[in-house]
Structures are given as C-alpha cells and as structure tokens.
Amino acid sequence: MASVTTAAEAVARIAYLSSDVILSIQPALSTHSDFSKHLHSYSTNRLPGLVAKETPEVIAIRHNVDPLLSAFQPLRSGKLVSATTSSSILLPSVPHLYKLAQYPIVLHVALHPLNSADYSEITAIRQSGFVFLHSETLQEAQDIALSAHALAIRLGKGVIHFFDPANSARDHPIEVENRDLVGEILHLDAARATQLRKDERTSLYVDDGRRATVTEEIAQSPTEGPSESGSATVAPRETATEKSSTEGASSVGSSIRKSSVDSGQTISSATSVDSTITRPVTSDDIYDCITSIWAHLARVTERVYRVFEYTGPEDAESALFVFGSTGLFVDELREPSSADEFAKFGLITARLYRPWISTRLSQLLPDSIRRIAVLEQIRKKTTKWGPVLLDILTSLRSGPTASNSLLIVGHQLGYIEPATVRQAIRGIFQNLSSPTPVQNLEVGSSERPPQSSPQYALNQPKVENAYMKILDQVFGERLYVANRLDAAHAGISATIAASPEFGFGSLLARHEHRRRFIGEVQTAAATRDFVTDIPQKWLSKWALSAEDAQKANLTAPDVISRLRNDGSRLASTLLESKSLFFKESQWLIGSDAWAYDLGNSGVHHVIASGANVNMLIIDSQPWSERAAADEARRKKDIGLYAMHFGNAYVASVAVYSSYTQVLEAMIEADQFDGPSVVVAYLPYHKEDDSPLTVLQETKKAVDHGYWPLYRWNPTKEENGEPNFSLDSERIKQELEEFLRRDNHLTQLMNRHPKFAANLSESYGTEVRALQKRKAKDAYNTLLESLYGAPLTILFASDNGNAEGLAKRLGSRGKARGLKTMVMAMDDYPLEDLPTEQNVVMLTSTAGQGEFPQNGRAFWDAVKDTTEIDLSQVRYAVFALGDSHYWPRKEDKIYYNKPGKDLDARIAFLGGKKLADVGLGDDQDPDSYQTGYAEWEPKLWQALGVDNVEGLPEEPPPITNEDIKIESNFLRGTIAEGLADTTTGAISASDSQLTKFHGTYMQDDRDLRDERKAQGMEPAYAFMIRCRLNGGVATPSQWLQMDSISSSYGNETMKLTTRQTFQFHGVVKNKLKSAMRGINKALMTTIAACGDVNRNIMVSPLPTRSAFHRDVHQVSARISDHLLPSTTAYHEIWLKDDDSPDEKQTKVAGDAVVDQEPLYGPTYLPRKFKITIAVPPHNDTDVYAHDIGLIAIKDVSGKRLEGFNVLVGGGMGVTHNNKKTYPRTGSMLGYFPASQIHLVCEKIMLVQRDHGDRKNRKHARLKYTIDDMGVDVFRSKVEDLLGDTFKEPRPFEFKSNIDTFGWQKDEFGMNHFLMFIENGRVEDTPEFSMKTGLREIAKVHKGDFRLTPNQHLCLSGVPDAELDTIKGMLKQYKLDNLHFSGLRLSSSACVAFPTCGLAMAESERYLPELITKLEGCLEENGLRQDSIVMRMTGCPNGCARPWLAEVAFVGKAYGAYNMYLGGGYHGQRLNKLYRSSIGEEEILGIMKPLLRRYAAEREEGERFGDFVIRIGMIKPTREGKAFHEDVAEEESDGE
C-alpha cells in the first residue's frame, strides 16, 4: 500500500483533494518548496480531486510577488482556494490577511528555518481573524489539514494550518488518506454550495465589510409559527458572507447548526415569518464546528483531537505548555528511563491556537497542577512577555475559573540538541521549583544550528544576469548597485537589504557622504598643508567638475596619484576616501515584485523624492502567462506611474528584442539629473529557462504591444524635441496615432486597450469571433443567389496541400451546381456547425500527429464540446499524411491521426457520413493524390451530383515555370506589391520572383500563433541575402552591412553557409532602402537566390596568397559571366523615384541590358550552385554542389593552372520520399583555368535544357545526371564546348572544417580565422561581438573573408598592425578559440523563427545540445578532437548535413532524424541511424558512442569512419543508395 513519508506530502495531498485552486508559493519557479514537488506531480498527471469539478489548478507563484493577491479572484469566483507556503510570506501579506480571513481559504504554512522553526510569524498575525490550527506529527499533519479544509468549507472562514516540518521528520510513514473519509469530512454538499457563490467585490486593501456568517433557525412562538400545514422551507443560500448580519445571506452553518443555502424569509401557505437569523461567526461556532469534525474523525479512525492537548499523569504537579516543536519533549517524557524522574510532569499543547478558548484550557488541566512552564519558540521577540504566556495568564488568572495558586513562568525555547533534551527539561523544572523562578529564561541555544538540508537563499535568477552584464559593460568600475545581494550589511537580512527602501536609504547616505567629501576637498584646496602646491591645483580642478561624471572620473586617477606622491597627513586623510573622487553610476535593481503595490513600496519614494537615483526593474511575467483575467493580480505599470510625476526619466526595454535600445536607455538614465526608471523585460516561466524560451516570449510581448519599447525624457522638450520616443517597430504606427491625438501616454489603456501593458486576454478571442462571423456572413450573402445544395468545405493546412485540395474541391462542387463555401477550420464559427447540411473537412498532419496551425482551435473546441448536436449534419473527412513518416511501430498511430480523430469525433456527436474517411499517403505513386482520386467520386455520389454532364475543363495549376515566363524577366508585380501599405506581405507569385532578387518573404514563427489569435496577419518580414563572390568584403563594406542590419534588420547579421551576408527581419517598407544600402557598398543581391547560378564559394584562408588570388579571380570571372542580365532588379530597387522616365540604372559603372542570353525567359529548372576548393582544405564542401571545382597548382606549386571538375552534387531531400536523396559530385575531368568559366556555362546550359521542369523535387542537376548517366552528360557538355575533359589531376583533402587562429602567408601578411558560432553576428550581454567587429573594421585595412562554415577570417594584417588588431580581438573576446573540437566543427542553418520550411530548431538549439555533450567529451579526453556535427531544421540541407560525421535533421518540433557515417573530408554521405528522436534519446545515443570512440578508435581514425568500422552504420557509396541499408527500417504505418 502506498505511504506518505513527510508532513508536506500529507498536506499537499489533502490540499489537492480539497481545493479548486492551490497556490503553490515557492522560493523560485525553478525551485520546489516542501509542497510543490508533490502538487506539480499530481497536476502533471492530471489526478482528480474531490472538490474540483475538473483537475485542480496548481498555480506556482514566487514568494516575493505578493502571492496572496492571487487568491482574491478565484475566491470571488466561488472557488475553494488553498495556499501552500513557508512562513516567510506571512508578515508581508498582513494587508491581505484581514480580508482573506472572511473567505473559505486555507493556508498551509511550513515554519522555517528548517530545524530551528520560528513561531513568531504565527504570533505576529494571531489577531488577523483567521482560525489557527497546529499539527505536530506526520499523522496530525494529514488530519489537521483535512480539518482545516472542512472548517473553511462549513463556516466560510479562513484557516491557517501551521506546522514545523522538522518536528515530524523522523516519524514512521503513514497510509495515504481515505478518499471516502475525506469526502465525508469535507461535507461535499457544502463545498458545492460554496462554489455556486460569487462575490462582486473588487477592493484589495480597504475593508469592504465582508464577514463570515452563520445562519441558524430560531424558535418560533405560536403566533409566529407556520400555518396549519406545518411546512417551512429554507431558501437556497446566496453568499456565505455579507456586509452585516442584517443585509443578505448566510453561510453554511456549523455541523450542529442547520446550514442554509440562502437567507431569505421562510414561506408557509398562510403567512411569512422570520425563522432564521444570520450573524457573524463566533469562537463558539468555530469550537462547535471543529469538535464536530474531530468527533467524526474519531469515530472512523479512533484518532482523538482536542483544542488543547494534555499528555501526562492525572496527578501531575507541574506541566510544560509548549508553543513550538514538541517532538523532542514528547520522546523524552515517554522514554522509560525518564519515567521516575518526570513522573509528576505533564505536557500541554494548543491544537486550536486561535480562537483561544480559555475555558477549555482550564477544564483540561488536572486539579493537582501547581506549576506551569510556558515555552515559546519565538526568535523575534518584540515584547517583554511572550504572547502565549499572556494568553495563559489571562485564561488561568482571570475569570470564574481563576486560580491564584498556579505558578506560571515564561521561557524562551531555543534550539536543543537531542542529546541534551533531558538536561533542558531538568533545568526548566528546577527553575519552576525555585523560590524565585526566573522569567523568560532561555532554554537551548539562540543560535541557529547548521542546516542539514539546503535553505532557500535569496538569489538573483540566472536569466537576469543579462541586464547585470550590460550594466557592467556600460559603466565598468563606476557601477554601484546599492541593494546587490552579495553586499555585506551588518545586522541586516538579505531580504531587507535587497528592498528598494533600504537601497534608496543607503544611496541617500552615500550621496551625503560624497557631498561632505567634496566640501572637504574644497577646504583642502584652499589650505597649505601639503608638501607641495601640486595637490592643491589638482584638487581645485577636480572640485570644479566633481558632479560631472565624465570629467570627474577622468581627473580622479591623476588627483589620487598626486596625493600619493605628496605624502602629507592631509593627503593621507583624503586618500582614505579615494573612491569618492569617482562619480558613480548608482542603481537600485528590483523585480516585478515591486510593481504590485507601488504606493507601499520604495518605488514611490524614490520617484517622489526627485533624487538622482537610477532604478532597473526587471519584469519576468511571460506574455503567454499574463494575468489579465485576474484584475486583482494585475501589476501596476511602473513606467506610466513614473511618468505621472513628470520629473523622472523612464524607459521600457527588452534585451532580447533590442540590445541597442537597452544600451541607449541605460546611458540616458545615467546622464539624467533626477530619478530614472528603466523597466526591463525578461520573461521566464522558470529561473533556469533557456535563452531561446526568453527570446520567444519577448518577441511575442513586444510584437503585440504587451511590452512596448520606449524612452521618456521630460527634459527634451526644453530643446524642442519630443519627450516620448517609441522604439517598437511593430506598433509604432498605432501608438504614434494615439500620441498625436491625446499627447499623453497615461490614457493609453483607455484609448488603445490592445496595446496596454495589461492586455485583456479575451480581446484576441473577440476579434477572431468577429472575423469568423463577418467571413461567414459574406459567404452566405454571396451564396444566396446560387442554387443547389449547400456544401461547406473546411481545411487545416500547414504547407498548402490541404488548402489547395479544398479550393479545388470547392470549384468542382460549384461546377456541379452546389453552393460551396471554403474556409480554414479556425476561421469557421463552430456554433454554426449544427446548422450545416453537408460539411467536408480536409486536414494534413503536423508535428507529432497534430492538427495544422489553422485547425487547432477548431479541433480543440470540437473535441472538448458535448453540447452540439450534429445529427442533422452529413459529413466527410479526407486526411493527408505519410505512412513512412513514423519509423517505430509504436508511433504508427500518428499516421493521418488528425483526420482519423476528427472523423471519429464528428460521428460521436451525431454526424452522418457521406463517405468513409479518405487517407492520402505521400508514399503512394501520386502522393496523396492517389487516395484522393479514390475518395472524391464517393463524395459526389453521396451528394447525388456524380453524373453531371458538361463539366468545364479545369485549368492546370500555376507552376513556378508559369510564374517565371509570365514575369517579364522577373518583374511580375513586385513594384506594386511594395507600394501596397495595407499588408506587410507581397503576393505568392511575387514572393517566388523576389528570390531571384535576393530576398525571401518570411514571417516570424515565434509570433505566428499569437498574432493569429489576435486576428492579425503574420509578422511578415524579409530575409535579404547578398551576392558576395568568394565571401570577400572590404572593411567599408563590413561597416555598411553592420549599419544595414541595425537600421533595417533585426540588429544581427548572419554569415551563411553560402559564404555571404544575410539579414533578417527587414519589414516591407524598409526593403528598398536596405537594397539600396547594399548597392551603395558596391555589392548586390541579384541571383543570391532563385533558379539561377548563385553565390560562388571559394576557400577563404589564403595560406598561399598568390595561388589563392588566382583562384579568386577565376571565381569572379565565373560569377560575372553567369550573372542574369535583366534590368528588372535595377528598375525595382535602385531607380530614382524622382526620375520616372529613367529606364536603366548603372551599377558600379556597368550598364545592364534587358535580355537573358544564357538563361532565357524561364531561367533554370532549379537553383544552381558552384564552389571552388583549394586543397588540402575542402572547407567549401566541394562535393555538395552542382559544380565543384578543385584548384590545381602549376609545376611551381605557387600559381593556379586549372581545375578538376565535379558535377551533380546536391543536398536537398524530402523526408521519407526515397525518390529524393543527397548526392556527392561526380568527376568529369580536368580543364585549364582560362576556359573554366565556359565549362561552367556549358554545364549550366545542359541542365537548363534537360533538367526536369515538371517536378521541382526532381529538378536539380543531380537527378539530371543520374537520369542521363555521367558519361552521356559529359559528352553533351563536351559537344557544347568543342573540347574534351582531360584526366583529373591528383589532389588530397585533409579536412572540411575551418583552420582557426593566426596564419602567415608567403608575403608576410597575417590572417586570423575566428569562431562565430553558427555565423550569427550580434551583441549580447555576454559578448559584444558585433560592436567589436565594427570597431576593428574602422582600423583594419585588409579584408573580411566569410567562410562556408559560417566563420570569419580577418585577412591581410601587416606585422606593423598586428599588435593593434590582436589587442582589439582580445578586448572584445574575439580571439577566444578555447572551444571544444566538436563546437568548432559544428554548423547549423537558421531554421526557426524565420525560415518557413523549418520543422525544428537548429541554430538556436545546436549550441545547447553541444553544451550537454561537452562534459562527456571532457571525461573521455575528446575535447580537442574534431568531430563534424551539423544540424538543420528541415531536410533541404542548407548546412549540408548529409556530409557530416553526425547530423541531426529536423522532422518535427523537438524531433530529429539522426545520421551517422559522413566522411571527415566531406567526400562521403552519411546514412539514417535513428528517426524522430528527441534530446533525451540523442544524448542517450551520443554519450555512450563517444565513450566507445575514445576507447576503441584506431590511430588517426575519424568518428565517421569509426561508426562504419564497428558496424553501427553502413557506408553510403553513392546518392542513389542513401536510403538503402539504413540502421532503422521505417514501418509502413499500417
């Protein structure tokens, strides 16, 4: 049988069963309390409670955020609430306790600190109106917890159950509670009545008059009695409490009083008379109720409880009354060896501490008692006489039972070692027996014992270090944080020292100290007490600028130096306070806990004082958990509050949204003369959340206006500048409109509630409902003029397939005379579904058998409802999926799961099937079309429209080839789309064409769900990719790229696996400006994407500079030769808008013409990539591209002679489609360098003319070559060339990773290749990478060379500048290469949040995964070993994962296919090892494998070779064999 081992577990179990809502008050969200680990386990497993209608809600709340505020809303909603907490929250919660005492809430309080519990928090709040119950043992904790809940339910009154966890730590385990008994004790009918009551009160701090009351029947006189029928009824109760006994309704009465559900008059058949009375709950009511509860408990369990407990002989002469932890005393008094010595001693404890029932105490004591020792375990004593001593004196020395013969002596109970308990008891009784006993004698030690278990220290959450690091970076030694946690304050607790009040006070004292010091310096400057007059001059200079931070801090070191040199007594005196020569940047740092009661916190005092103090207040509430539904729980907007005063600088910032804005705000706050408030957003669910989680939450909050970024400087208007500066891009237009109209931000919540800091949670729902209704009504209006049966077609689609089928089905239905309506499931108002006649639903399969995004809300509503009747609805479902997507048999249920589930649910709700559920399978010959072709005729037959004649011919679907040929050489309607300000997007066809111009339309997938919920279009933005031949940029170009990323993008640059720059987050209205900025740097973006030859890659590190220069010149010639010739790019992006007649624009001096001599109007079938490798480094993955050129040296070994030519490499794959595969290039032969651009042209032309233009999944050159055969392809190229390939020249590759560190070429120039993890150039609080590279670009005179592995080479540094560059690299930590070999050899694509193809995280996750593997690498001596690991978010292969020794390719969010066995030199493809595995499985495979590799590898054996040798994976000999002999066969899903 299950058992309970701790008091906290026993209490948590009872609270969970007895509550609708449990507030789990914890030291931190990531740190469990004594109770929370149990509560969250029950909640996670969705265990049922007894009281809650559904699973009880467990809400985790940090202890320092006014946690009891969270109780008001559920209590006033009629919910039964309990809270589990330590005693530390009680005193700060006093303003709420007086009100909460009148509600049926139970607080379970574990007294802290452990092993030395302090009961003073209990005595301090004893007059708060709560009922106080005390338990001591493990069994008592279970029973008294249950009693507390029963009492709260029956009387409608608050109960505090307190206990010392350490007191029962050694108790034997007890049985779990009996659920039937718990239900009986709780009186579930009374609980249901409580849940029906609502309370409209909203006050938090002002007494609104609510009182817990009871209603009881009163005796009736004959003249007042009921009529002859003799029947009187009691109406249902409305509320448990009301403002007075004369206004309103009753509460549930005690167990010995009749409870009613409504107060109101009784009614008889003849007359109405008052037969009940409602009055406040009294102590007698509480006593009667608790004794009734305990009597019931005793009848069932034989465990007896009384309000006071006495243990000992009936003839005892002395007694201990212990208000504290009694365990040691009970054990000692029960010890057989103590029987004689303590035979006349008894022990008394209070089970019911408040209300204090004096009569019960006097009745309990044996008449023989003459002496009582009162032991109070109170550490924070504030009065001479302890509160419990006074209670006992009042009870036993006054009233009818008073006894003046009793001797009552108070004692203070400290910590007692178990071995000294007997000695302590002897000392107590010796004092009692003394003729002159000592009052307040201390028993035990006042010092806390060493803790045997960890305590909950006050710590700064790890994620908040971001802002601290920025402060350190900006202010350095000037930074002074007055309330920092690690500061030493004698006699002050860490909690108090961290408060704003304490910090503000210490800053005022510090200001005054420096003010006095300045006066002392001014006096010293006027004296002649120095050895020389030099100090006087410097002191005078310093004193003139003492309040100017920049000047004072610049002068201070010189002043200090002169004083040291002087050596006089006065100089020594001044040097004792030398730190005051510097003007500090002084800050108070706090959390959003300061925002709950601004009037009572120190925030108000700081702002109102006008003192020059800076406050950084970090708000951690995630957007997804905003508490808008709980009015009482809302935090105040500190920013708006501060702006009310008009004297404060205010900024709202978010480091994971705009790092630059955070820097600006902190610098401006420091410079502002007066109070400054920087409210900083750092949302997290738990304090140890990953940066990725924080980033995603931040983006949602900023994007939706929940957290607007702004700066408010009230002094700016003096210079004619606006006070308010809005820095949030997404909501800029709306807020500017508001500010222009009202010119005052404090009206924000009234005028624009959707942008208020406390966004109404129902707003998005209302918008969506309105949109659905309008869309449906518009359809109905359109259909009114049509004839035929109605057919509603709903779809859920992620990649467009289901949507395309739905629209095609709608068109075919119209052609058959049906009135068809086609909508996304989430756009359809569910309440209309029962009124439909015929409904068809099509859904694809997403993630782990989930509904696509635009169908999830619809499905959630359908699966949870039991209230809609679909018996009049005829329906059909078609599902799209992939039977091979799930490799394991246990996962086959996910195949087409959404469609199957929807079909079953609609049938359950009464729907009648038009046809059985159709299943489309990507593994069928025509993919999902095979199953669909069988299913659709059945649908028409069921609808009676299968034999319609004269159906029109359907137009073929528009393909990419159609878009290209109709585009007029890539123009399309791009210009018109850019001019359309009603949307942030462009049309679908234009989005295909803009790829040729170097830009992709994307949307932020972190925000997609939230924006959809708010009725907003996706957060569209554009990615721009530069065309950068060979990855070489000048310093001026680097600076321009840096500026573009900050001005138009998301403040970061991506160095891509195509050896170029990429910018993300460029919104449509900035797109043209960004393009022009790139052109001004003499760079371009044309042909960086699209079905053309793209950026040409070249090995970046010039170890042989002349040879490398030759190669680079050839690459430039190829790039220019294959560049598209259309003028569309220049007309759209570069033409001066003021010159509408201008037809052509010149770029870098070359006129362009409007024709495509190489490409023709349809360009290539698919993208085309060329790369050049310089042996021995295959750092460009030469085997992975359409053309791979291997540079061959001449006989001198110093210059270029020609190239070995590889063709047909390619990485793109579709999961589980075995017709698609990666391929390494095939050797055509050798060709001289002078003709190589023509060779590339002819290869491209063969692909142009013979590539597959019907199936884009089969359109790459690799398939063309495999279809033709290498020899046939070579002959076609040679025919166009008029020449033949020669035998390939010998070469050798040694690696395909970058060579980090410093290298010197034959001309004496230095080159430094630095590590840029996954190519992301950005500034973070930990690493100012972007700033450092910008500063280096200002002085560097060589090149910046981007590498295909996403790193950066600082090239061409002469010896004369070497020290300068090294110093700057060190200053910005760019010279750090102390990473593991695995990390240095890793690479990842962008994936989420911007890539529309991503199925899983990549760039944001791979660093975390490597971190979790590095411990294993270190343990096994592999830290320095290079293992090529790559990760992509989808199988399209941007990071070339198929060539890595170990690769992870995203298959669903959090799930990856794992591949092993790639060649270290990039020459061999890997192979599938495991499919759809998560992090736990990845680590479970990799760690043992790394250990085995360390132990069993042969000399020089690479990881990819090792896994093949030991038989873990078969080698992949060619691309067509990629899917053969995989380690894990995929099931058929059936």
Side-chain angles (χ1 to χ4, degrees), residues 958 960 963 973 985-995 1001:
I958 297 175
N960 281 62
I963 293 171
T973 57
I986 57 177
S987 70
S989 59
D990 284 341
S991 69
Q992 293 298 321
L993 295 175
T994 54
K995 295 177 182 179
M1001 183 175 74

Side-chain angles (χ1 to χ4, degrees), residues 212-465:
T213 61
V214 293
T215 299
E216 60 182 353
E217 294 182 358
I218 59 175
Q220 299 176 343
S221 66
T223 59
E224 297 172 332
S227 65
E228 292 180 5
S229 67
S231 62
T233 60
V234 180
R237 179 186 59 189
E238 214 172 60
T239 62
T241 59
E242 288 298 340
K243 291 187 177 180
S244 72
S245 61
T246 62
E247 298 180 357
S250 68
S251 72
V252 178
S254 74
S255 59
I256 61 171
R257 292 180 173 82
K258 292 184 179 179
S259 66
S260 63
V261 187
D262 192 9
S263 71
Q265 296 176 328
T266 57
I267 302 173
S268 75
S269 59
T271 184
S272 296
V273 296
D274 289 329
S275 61
T276 62
I277 185 171
T278 301
R279 56 174 177 75
V281 173
T282 67
S283 58
D284 287 340
D285 297 323
I286 295 169
Y287 173 77
D288 292 342
C289 187
I290 195 64
T291 53
S292 173
I293 292 168
W294 286 340
H296 189 156
L297 195 61
R299 285 195 301 273
V300 178
T301 67
E302 298 184 352
R303 295 192 291 270
V304 178
Y305 296 102
R306 302 181 182 86
V307 293
F308 292 102
E309 302 281 2
Y310 172 78
T311 304
E314 290 302 319
D315 59 348
E317 298 175 357
S318 301
L320 299 178
F321 190 110
V322 181
F323 186 73
S325 304
T326 61
L328 292 176
F329 294 97
V330 172
D331 292 344
E332 185 60 35
L333 292 175
R334 288 177 177 173
E335 185 68 29
S337 61
S338 303
D340 294 336
E341 184 176 1
F342 303 133
K344 298 293 185 179
F345 297 114
L347 180 68
I348 310 168
T349 56
R351 186 74 57 233
L352 176 66
Y353 174 54
R354 280 295 184 275
W356 183 271
I357 312 295
S358 299
T359 56
R360 301 300 169 184
L361 177 60
S362 59
Q363 293 170 5
L364 176 76
L365 296 178
D367 294 336
S368 57
I369 294 289
R370 293 292 177 266
R371 295 176 298 275
I372 299 177
V374 180
L375 276 68
E376 298 178 77
Q377 194 167 318
I378 296 173
R379 305 282 184 261
K380 302 168 186 173
K381 186 178 178 183
T382 57
T383 59
K384 180 177 181 181
W385 308 107
V388 178
L389 176 63
L390 294 177
D391 285 336
I392 293 175
L393 287 171
T394 303
S395 300
L396 302 180
R397 289 285 184 85
S398 61
T401 60
S403 173
N404 292 325
S405 62
L406 271 177
L407 175 65
I408 302 173
V409 181
H411 297 72
Q412 297 301 312
L413 180 58
Y415 174 73
I416 301 176
E417 289 283 352
T420 63
V421 175
R422 182 174 300 187
Q423 180 181 347
I425 297 175
R426 287 172 183 160
I428 294 168
F429 288 124
Q430 287 174 3
N431 187 49
L432 271 181
S433 303
S434 171
T436 55
V438 178
Q439 288 286 359
N440 289 324
L441 179 68
E442 187 169 314
V443 179
S445 172
S446 60
E447 297 294 325
R448 291 181 182 177
Q451 300 298 334
S452 59
S453 59
Q455 293 297 291
Y456 303 135
L458 190 64
N459 293 313
Q460 182 184 32
K462 181 176 65 175
V463 294
E464 293 184 6
N465 288 338

Side-chain angles (χ1 to χ4, degrees), residues 788-990:
L791 176 62
T792 298
I793 302 170
L794 306 177
F795 64 84
S797 179
D798 260 348
N799 57 15
N801 289 335
E803 181 177 359
L805 276 185
K807 290 179 178 178
R808 189 175 75 183
L809 183 66
S811 298
R812 291 178 176 178
K814 287 180 183 178
R816 285 169 166 75
L818 301 175
K819 293 189 293 186
T820 61
M821 177 178 70
V822 182
M823 300 180 74
M825 290 182 185
D826 279 3
D827 292 334
Y828 179 82
L830 184 63
E831 64 270 17
D832 286 0
L833 192 58
T835 67
E836 299 288 355
Q837 185 174 336
N838 302 302
V839 180
V840 175
M841 289 163 276
L842 301 95
T843 177
S844 57
T845 306
Q848 196 86 352
E850 300 163 1
F851 268 78
Q853 186 58 48
N854 57 357
R856 289 180 188 173
F858 177 86
W859 168 243
D860 287 343
V862 167
K863 74 176 181 180
D864 292 337
T865 186
T866 57
E867 299 176 358
I868 61 174
D869 178 9
L870 302 183
S871 59
Q872 303 303 313
V873 179
R874 298 196 300 170
Y875 79 96
V877 175
F878 186 79
L880 294 82
D882 186 336
S883 61
H884 283 196
Y885 195 84
W886 307 104
R888 298 176 300 193
K889 290 183 178 180
E890 61 266 30
D891 293 337
K892 67 181 181 180
I893 59 170
Y894 299 127
Y895 167 59
N896 272 325
K897 186 176 186 295
K900 294 175 181 176
D901 289 349
L902 184 59
D903 179 70
R905 186 62 184 172
I906 298 298
F908 175 80
L909 294 172
K912 298 180 175 61
K913 289 188 180 184
L914 289 164
D916 288 337
V917 60
L919 302 178
D921 189 350
D922 282 349
Q923 296 302 313
D924 285 341
D926 294 320
S927 188
Y928 58 85
Q929 297 284 4
T930 302
Y932 183 78
E934 298 173 359
W935 174 84
E936 186 183 310
K938 298 176 183 177
L939 175 66
W940 300 138
Q941 184 177 12
L943 291 169
V945 292
D946 52 324
N947 294 319
V948 176
E949 296 181 358
L951 292 175
E953 216 176 286
E954 292 183 359
I958 297 175
T959 67
N960 281 62
E961 296 302 308
D962 298 324
I963 293 171
K964 287 186 284 186
I965 201 166
E966 296 295 330
S967 71
N968 187 19
F969 293 99
L970 307 182
R971 286 172 177 80
T973 57
I974 295 174
E976 293 80 357
L978 293 174
D980 182 3
T981 59
T982 63
T983 176
I986 57 177
S987 70
S989 59
D990 284 341

Side-chain angles (χ1 to χ4, degrees), residues 1165-1169 1185-1188 1206-1210 1221 1223 1228 1240 1242-1248 1250-1252 1258-1268 1273 1277:
R1166 281 298 303 273
K1167 57 189 174 184
F1168 198 84
K1169 298 178 179 180
H1185 299 81
D1186 296 274
I1187 298 178
L1206 298 167
V1207 293
Y1221 49 83
R1223 188 183 191 279
L1228 289 187
C1240 293
K1242 305 312 178 188
I1243 293 172
M1244 189 181 80
L1245 293 181
V1246 175
Q1247 165 66 358
R1248 181 196 68 184
H1250 296 276
D1252 189 344
H1258 190 256
R1260 289 292 298 275
L1261 178 60
K1262 58 184 176 181
Y1263 301 116
T1264 305
I1265 291 177
D1266 278 345
D1267 290 345
M1268 282 187 176
F1273 185 87
V1277 174

